[in-house]
mmCIF file of all heavy atoms in Angstrom:
data_model
loop_
_atom_site.group_PDB
_atom_site.id
_atom_site.type_symbol
_atom_site.label_atom_id
_atom_site.label_comp_id
_atom_site.label_asym_id
_atom_site.label_seq_id
_atom_site.Cartn_x
_atom_site.Cartn_y
_atom_site.Cartn_z
ATOM 1 N N GLY Y 117 92.788 171.143 188.045
ATOM 2 C CA GLY Y 117 94.050 170.559 188.626
ATOM 3 C C GLY Y 117 93.864 169.150 189.037
ATOM 4 O O GLY Y 117 92.752 168.600 188.908
ATOM 5 N N ALA Y 118 94.884 168.548 189.562
ATOM 6 C CA ALA Y 118 94.908 167.119 189.844
ATOM 7 C C ALA Y 118 94.173 166.894 191.216
ATOM 8 O O ALA Y 118 94.181 167.766 192.108
ATOM 9 C CB ALA Y 118 96.281 166.621 189.904
ATOM 10 N N ALA Y 119 93.684 165.613 191.393
ATOM 11 C CA ALA Y 119 93.101 165.249 192.688
ATOM 12 C C ALA Y 119 94.201 165.195 193.709
ATOM 13 O O ALA Y 119 95.383 164.992 193.409
ATOM 14 C CB ALA Y 119 92.407 163.911 192.509
ATOM 15 N N PHE Y 120 93.748 165.330 194.962
ATOM 16 C CA PHE Y 120 94.754 165.315 196.045
ATOM 17 C C PHE Y 120 95.322 163.947 196.208
ATOM 18 O O PHE Y 120 94.562 162.931 196.190
ATOM 19 C CB PHE Y 120 94.051 165.759 197.331
ATOM 20 C CG PHE Y 120 95.042 165.718 198.524
ATOM 21 C CD1 PHE Y 120 95.961 166.673 198.705
ATOM 22 C CD2 PHE Y 120 94.937 164.628 199.358
ATOM 23 C CE1 PHE Y 120 96.855 166.635 199.789
ATOM 24 C CE2 PHE Y 120 95.843 164.540 200.440
ATOM 25 C CZ PHE Y 120 96.791 165.505 200.672
ATOM 26 N N GLY Y 121 96.582 163.840 196.471
ATOM 27 C CA GLY Y 121 97.228 162.609 196.805
ATOM 28 C C GLY Y 121 98.371 162.870 197.678
ATOM 29 O O GLY Y 121 99.269 163.612 197.317
ATOM 30 N N ALA Y 122 98.376 162.321 198.852
ATOM 31 C CA ALA Y 122 99.552 162.473 199.770
ATOM 32 C C ALA Y 122 100.745 161.838 199.082
ATOM 33 O O ALA Y 122 100.617 160.707 198.571
ATOM 34 C CB ALA Y 122 99.238 161.886 201.132
ATOM 35 N N PRO Y 123 101.891 162.493 199.218
ATOM 36 C CA PRO Y 123 103.059 161.969 198.514
ATOM 37 C C PRO Y 123 103.595 160.718 199.157
ATOM 38 O O PRO Y 123 104.176 159.832 198.523
ATOM 39 C CB PRO Y 123 104.042 163.121 198.556
ATOM 40 C CG PRO Y 123 103.626 163.931 199.699
ATOM 41 C CD PRO Y 123 102.148 163.800 199.761
ATOM 42 N N GLY Y 124 103.503 160.654 200.454
ATOM 43 C CA GLY Y 124 104.076 159.537 201.193
ATOM 44 C C GLY Y 124 103.294 158.229 201.091
ATOM 45 O O GLY Y 124 102.163 158.192 200.742
ATOM 46 N N ALA Y 125 103.935 157.153 201.493
ATOM 47 C CA ALA Y 125 103.340 155.821 201.511
ATOM 48 C C ALA Y 125 102.471 155.650 202.745
ATOM 49 O O ALA Y 125 102.609 156.348 203.781
ATOM 50 C CB ALA Y 125 104.433 154.756 201.466
ATOM 51 N N GLU Y 126 101.489 154.704 202.736
ATOM 52 C CA GLU Y 126 100.629 154.420 203.821
ATOM 53 C C GLU Y 126 101.271 153.483 204.797
ATOM 54 O O GLU Y 126 101.504 152.319 204.478
ATOM 55 C CB GLU Y 126 99.294 153.811 203.279
ATOM 56 C CG GLU Y 126 98.241 154.786 202.919
ATOM 57 C CD GLU Y 126 97.707 155.620 204.128
ATOM 58 O OE1 GLU Y 126 97.705 155.086 205.184
ATOM 59 O OE2 GLU Y 126 97.386 156.769 203.902
ATOM 60 N N PRO Y 127 101.498 153.917 206.064
ATOM 61 C CA PRO Y 127 102.187 153.050 206.981
ATOM 62 C C PRO Y 127 101.367 151.790 207.363
ATOM 63 O O PRO Y 127 101.930 150.800 207.835
ATOM 64 C CB PRO Y 127 102.408 153.930 208.215
ATOM 65 C CG PRO Y 127 101.444 155.064 208.058
ATOM 66 C CD PRO Y 127 101.262 155.197 206.570
ATOM 67 N N LEU Y 128 100.009 151.859 207.218
ATOM 68 C CA LEU Y 128 99.220 150.714 207.534
ATOM 69 C C LEU Y 128 99.238 149.578 206.571
ATOM 70 O O LEU Y 128 98.917 148.417 206.858
ATOM 71 C CB LEU Y 128 97.759 151.160 207.801
ATOM 72 C CG LEU Y 128 97.495 151.985 208.980
ATOM 73 C CD1 LEU Y 128 96.061 152.480 209.005
ATOM 74 C CD2 LEU Y 128 97.773 151.146 210.300
#
Side-chain angles (χ1 to χ4, degrees):
Chain Y
F120 177 79
E126 272 293 330
L128 287 175

